Amino acid sequence: EKAQFMMKLAPRIRKLERGVIQIISKELERILQDRVKKNKEPSSFVGTRRSIEEELLILGYLFRSFALLGKGSEAELIFARVAIMPIVRSKVTLGKLDEGGSRGECAGLFCLLEDLACSIKDLWGDVLSLVEEMFQLDAGVADLCSVEDNHIEVDLVTAG
């Protein structure tokens, strides 16, 4: 009887879950885009600037929501598309990659990767630290989620 009741509710539950995921996806994307814009044009956000602590708190809620719904990969994809790819596009060029060497030699790869890592750390280090800490689970929650080594693997930089 209980299983039959749950089967009747299943379509409604899935529809509600899709709606919630859609809402938190849009909100995550909006907050990340605002942060990118703030860093590009800090003077245009002087009066409306949210504190970093408030922003991290909201991002924490959003990332936790994705985690609880089992949709961490969607959060990764949004983060990679909105936060990381603009940095990669602005920094990676064939000229920088070859750095004076012959084409295809990739003499500048090490410097380029170091520059990318520093840029990502400067702009998104606090968010990445927050998410890394968030997905460190205690044993009780890990048993429920069947996660190995009490840790959920989340790769927000490469979304992979």
Side-chain angles (χ1 to χ4, degrees), residues 6-155:
M6 291 303 289
M7 291 300 288
K8 287 180 182 178
L9 287 179
R12 291 180 184 168
I13 293 169
R14 283 192 294 274
K15 182 178 179 183
L16 178 64
E17 185 179 73
R18 279 191 305 271
V20 168
I21 290 169
Q22 197 172 37
I23 290 168
I24 61 175
S25 295
K26 286 180 183 176
E27 187 65 15
L28 177 62
E29 191 168 332
R30 185 187 64 77
I31 290 175
L32 294 174
Q33 286 174 341
D34 284 351
R35 189 167 183 168
V36 169
K37 287 177 188 173
K38 284 178 198 174
N39 284 308
K40 284 183 181 177
E41 306 162 12
S43 60
S44 62
F45 287 90
V46 172
T48 61
R49 194 163 188 155
R50 229 188 244 131
S51 76
I52 293 173
E53 291 81 19
E54 288 174 352
E55 196 173 75
L56 287 175
L57 182 67
I58 293 168
L59 286 170
Y61 289 143
L62 292 171
F63 283 119
R64 265 187 226 98
S65 299
F66 278 107
L68 291 172
L69 291 168
K71 299 292 183 178
S73 61
E74 284 194 36
E76 291 175 16
L77 290 172
I78 292 169
F79 190 82
R81 181 173 40 83
V82 176
I84 303 303
M85 286 310 295
I87 296 172
V88 171
R89 282 188 212 105
S90 71
K91 302 249 181 229
V92 176
T93 64
L94 288 177
K96 288 180 183 177
L97 187 59
D98 291 333
E99 198 175 90
S102 60
R103 177 79 62 194
E105 194 174 289
C106 298
L109 183 60
F110 180 76
C111 294
L112 187 59
L113 289 176
E114 189 175 352
D115 185 32
L116 277 171
C118 288
S119 297
I120 290 169
K121 182 183 176 204
D122 291 345
L123 187 55
W124 299 105
D126 53 351
V127 175
L128 293 171
S129 295
L130 169 80
V131 173
E132 184 69 27
E133 292 170 9
M134 181 186 310
F135 289 101
Q136 296 289 336
L137 301 176
D138 65 17
V141 176
D143 290 340
L144 294 173
C145 298
S146 68
V147 178
E148 293 181 27
D149 300 327
N150 299 335
H151 180 76
I152 297 174
E153 188 63 35
V154 176
D155 185 359

